[in-house]
Amino acid sequence: MSVPTISISKQELLKLGLKKNESVHYQSTPEELLKDTLRIGEGILTNTGALSINTGEFTGRCPNDKFTVKDEITADTVHWNNFNIPIEEKYFHIIHKKIMDYLGGKPEIWVRDCYACADPRYRLSIRIITEKPWTNLFAYNMFLRPDEEELDEFKPDWHVICAPGLRLDAKECGTRQHNAAVISFKHKTILIAGSGYTGETKKGIFTILNYILPYEKDVLNMHCSANVGEGGDTAIFFGLSGTGKTTLSADANRKLIGDDEHGWTDDGVFNFEGGCYAKLINLSEEKEPEIYQAIRRGALVENVKFFEGTNKINFDDGSITENTRVSYPLDFISNALQPSIGGTPKNIFFLTCDAYGVLPPIARLTKRQAMYQYVSGYTAKVAGTEAGVTEPKPTFSACFGAPFLPLHPGFYAEMLGKKMEEHNVNVWLINTGWTGGPYGKGHRIKLSFTRAMISAALDGKLNNVETTVDPVFRFAVPSEVPGVPKEILIPRNTWTDKEAYDEKARYLAGLFVSNFEKYASGASAETMAAAPKV
Ligand code: ATP
Ligand code: MN
């Protein structure tokens, strides 16, 4: 018996305007996509069996080239700012035509039908059309995979069309330069031209869900990871890029719900995605065994270098980018929860990577302080890897995800506030960044210590310990955490120069206060009262 080939009807292709292609690969398996990538000479098979590719000119997202069509749906609902940049509908049509003509002229393209949102009540059907087989493999890894029955009845709600090889004429297309990601809520389409960075597709879908779910379905969207303990207690970890969402949610003792994007409904949380997108820089098997073992056949590795003369990844080499990544389906993590739906969160962690070395490694927040931190969305990263760069770069990103939020941050903050009130959630601030001094003097806190602090909080071991109030930020800092040296809990104690610490703490407090000014009019007096003391 021959195996039936899954195909997409001519009619469907005509609707897409893709009649010219000789070969449209529909719903290819990961194995086929791996082989297609090698056949067109764009990948290397690593020694672990994972496929390695280079994303080209862009190795990260381009927030300045992400546009939202300003039309009757979005004009008065989207919060227009640096991340929600308006573009006229006529340009959407021009770019759409350019992309379709470009893809129509290719000898082969790849089409995939997939879903977002693990909770069937909120499912979004996505059809993704890609110039490259590896972008299609990324979509297979990262979104939810319909079974054959679901495929029979599949009707796409949204389209994502990716043409990394197409360079746009900025003037003709109304864009900033030759690349763009354009979202149209009216045409339910995301166009990506000129960039091969796979994360654009993932964060494009995240962005539209961050509009649809809270605005139309009363579900709170969150830029967080999530896992669940043996007793069924859900924990969520909010944080900006590089703060530890993926790393800290991969915990051998807890089941993984998801590593980056979730919704909070009336009865629990669900993952938007079907996979993980983990960083590879300085990865070690010993410290991050779950992620390490996921780099195998089926996984897609991006922008890494190899040890000379081998196909063995050198995880310490960031010469293409520090943002080296791997995507893999959730079930590559042995303890992933299926389906990825958990109960109402019992603990919320706000992760920050404070390269100033000022914030404590763990603190308990009151509801007001939690709201203040959520609206602030603070992290400070190391400015770069160039020689001589010693000053951390502070970032305040509302709700720990401003680049992906189409609505006003206040809309999301209010939803979170209500949920925290209603469910009496414990909220913790975790500094996964510097200790013993700022970047250049101190060092990043040991991952094993951060893990121990999170475990202690989850196990209820911090509920009755003595705490000290941070003199500037005023949250309660536990004086004892099992498995963690006492002296590192109060950051001031880890600095040799105490005056330098006090000065930096005041400086950081000042940054919080001036950042918050733009929200002052919309924030409650109680939230305002949770501001640090300058
Ligand atoms: P993104 O939103 O970009 O996916 P993320 O929040 O998922 O970012 P991770 O991928 O978890 O961030 O990155 C955290 C990085 O910091 C990892 O490379 C991890 O190895 C490293 N790291 C070092 N020390 C710590 C620590 N104490 N806690 C957490 N992560 C740490
Ligand atoms: Mn992550």
Side-chain angles (χ1 to χ4, degrees):
M1 196 181 84
S2 70
V3 184
T5 48
I6 310 167
S7 63
I8 184 166
S9 74
K10 275 238 166 61
Q11 211 182 353
E12 291 277 295
L13 285 175
L14 280 169
K15 257 198 277 174
L16 296 170
L18 283 171
K19 51 189 179 296
K20 280 184 285 181
N21 298 80
E22 274 165 33
S23 173
V24 175
H25 304 275
Y26 176 66
Q27 221 66 4
S28 303
T29 63
E31 200 57 30
E32 287 164 343
L33 294 166
L34 181 153
K35 291 196 173 128
D36 289 347
T37 302
L38 296 176
R39 173 171 53 78
I40 64 169
E42 297 201 2
I44 292 171
L45 205 56
T46 72
N47 64 334
T48 70
L51 176 67
S52 166
I53 55 103
N54 288 320
T55 58
E57 183 184 357
F58 297 102
T59 56
R61 288 180 303 102
C62 302
N64 297 332
D65 301 301
K66 182 180 169 196
F67 301 90
T68 304
V69 179
K70 191 169 186 176
D71 55 25
E72 55 275 27
I73 298 174
T74 56
D76 300 326
T77 53
V78 165
H79 178 56
W80 303 104
N81 59 18
N82 290 346
F83 301 114
N84 298 310
I85 307 167
I87 193 168
E88 281 176 58
E89 190 177 348
K90 69 170 186 201
Y91 292 121
F92 171 83
H93 291 298
I94 292 172
I95 298 168
H96 185 263
K97 180 162 190 319
K98 288 223 173 286
I99 292 192
M100 282 339 227
D101 287 349
Y102 174 79
L103 291 178
K106 293 275 153 193
E108 51 183 345
I109 56 154
W110 288 263
V111 178
R112 169 166 306 282
D113 288 341
C114 47
Y115 295 120
C117 299
D119 188 327
R121 295 173 296 178
Y122 304 105
R123 228 180 214 184
L124 186 86
S125 302
I126 304 160
R127 174 163 293 162
I128 178 160
I129 300 150
T130 66
E131 175 186 356
K132 304 288 185 188
W134 43 264
T135 317
N136 211 279
L137 177 59
F138 179 82
Y140 175 89
N141 286 347
M142 292 306 297
F143 297 115
L144 291 152
R145 297 157 282 274
D147 61 30
E148 258 170 65
E149 217 170 289
E150 290 167 330
L151 221 44
D152 277 344
E153 291 167 8
F154 195 92
K155 282 206 185 64
D157 298 320
W158 274 75
H159 285 87
V160 181
I161 311 173
C162 302
L166 173 66
R167 287 178 75 88
L168 301 174
D169 176 335
K171 210 159 157 225
E172 188 190 354
C173 296
T175 58
R176 189 181 70 102
Q177 51 177 39
H178 62 277
N179 64 297
V182 181
I183 300 175
S184 166
F185 282 91
K186 185 168 151 193
H187 300 286
K188 296 189 161 61
T189 299
I190 302 174
L191 304 174
I192 299 168
S195 170
Y197 183 60
T198 56
E200 289 289 358
T201 59
K202 161 191 157 73
K203 285 300 205 270
I205 292 296
F206 188 43
T207 303
I208 62 159
L209 286 169
N210 292 346
Y211 180 100
I212 299 167
L213 292 176
Y215 195 67
E216 296 172 5
K217 319 219 158 169
D218 200 28
V219 171
L220 174 63
N221 53 288
M222 305 179 289
H223 188 212
C224 72
S225 60
N227 64 20
V228 52
E230 268 170 26
D233 66 299
T234 299
I236 56 179
F237 305 79
F238 284 96
L240 291 163
S241 186
T243 56
K245 291 184 300 298
T246 300
T247 297
L248 297 169
S249 58
D251 174 341
N253 299 314
R254 297 174 65 84
K255 287 203 179 297
L256 178 70
I257 301 174
D259 88 325
D260 200 49
E261 308 169 2
H262 293 82
W264 187 343
T265 67
D266 283 340
D267 42 38
V269 299
F270 67 87
N271 191 353
F272 291 174
E273 303 180 292
C276 301
Y277 193 36
K279 277 192 242 313
L280 292 177
I281 198 76
N282 306 132
L283 185 78
S284 85
E285 180 170 20
E286 180 218 340
K287 290 185 197 141
E288 299 184 59
E290 285 83 12
I291 294 170
Y292 189 90
Q293 63 78 35
I295 308 167
R296 52 183 143 106
R297 204 159 178 103
L300 181 68
V301 169
E302 299 176 10
N303 302 316
V304 297
K305 287 272 191 145
F306 298 95
F307 288 106
E308 226 183 298
T310 74
N311 59 351
K312 187 173 185 295
I313 302 167
N314 180 354
F315 294 108
D316 298 328
D317 189 335
S319 59
I320 298 178
T321 172
E322 286 283 309
N323 188 29
T324 52
R325 294 267 185 172
V326 59
S327 64
Y328 47 83
L330 265 165
D331 60 21
F332 275 32
I333 295 277
S334 58
N335 54 349
L337 188 68
Q338 280 291 355
S340 346
I341 305 175
T344 299
K346 197 170 159 204
N347 288 282
I348 295 178
F349 296 91
F350 292 149
L351 308 176
T352 179
C353 178
D354 176 24
Y356 290 114
V358 162
L359 294 177
I362 184 165
R364 184 192 271 274
L365 306 187
T366 63
K367 294 276 140 57
R368 313 287 168 231
Q369 289 167 343
M371 288 303 287
Y372 189 88
Q373 288 298 323
Y374 188 63
V375 172
S376 299
Y378 165 72
T379 198
K381 280 180 279 187
V382 178
T385 46
E386 311 101 88
V389 176
T390 51
E391 263 301 289
K393 194 168 178 269
T395 308
F396 289 91
S397 182
C399 313
F400 298 98
F404 324 114
L405 301 179
L407 307 174
H408 191 283
F411 191 95
Y412 307 101
E414 197 175 310
M415 277 180 97
L416 182 78
K418 274 199 199 128
K419 292 206 180 279
M420 286 191 314
E421 289 288 341
E422 198 184 333
H423 300 291
N424 198 30
V425 196
N426 303 314
V427 188
W428 311 88
L429 182 73
I430 302 282
N431 176 9
T432 66
W434 266 248
T435 181
Y439 174 76
K441 291 214 174 74
H443 56 90
R444 198 159 178 190
I445 191 163
K446 265 174 120 174
L447 179 54
S448 57
F449 290 158
T450 302
R451 288 200 201 276
M453 287 183 254
I454 288 172
S455 299
L458 289 170
D459 296 345
K461 290 188 182 144
L462 303 183
N463 290 345
N464 300 310
V465 299
E466 209 183 290
T467 58
T468 339
V469 175
D470 185 287
V472 175
F473 290 89
R474 292 188 281 174
F475 20 65
V477 181
S479 306
E480 248 173 279
V481 178
V484 179
K486 233 180 139 147
E487 40 310 346
I488 71 161
L489 295 172
I490 308 287
R492 192 173 189 269
N493 297 346
T494 68
W495 287 47
T496 37
D497 185 345
K498 310 291 177 209
E499 266 166 39
Y501 175 85
D502 294 338
E503 198 195 311
K504 257 307 174 251
R506 274 195 305 272
Y507 174 72
L508 180 58
L511 294 181
F512 267 90
V513 169
S514 54
N515 169 68
F516 211 88
E517 271 162 17
K518 55 180 175 280
Y519 305 112
S521 62
S524 71
E526 289 126 319
T527 304
M528 292 299 287
K533 259 198 239 164
V534 186

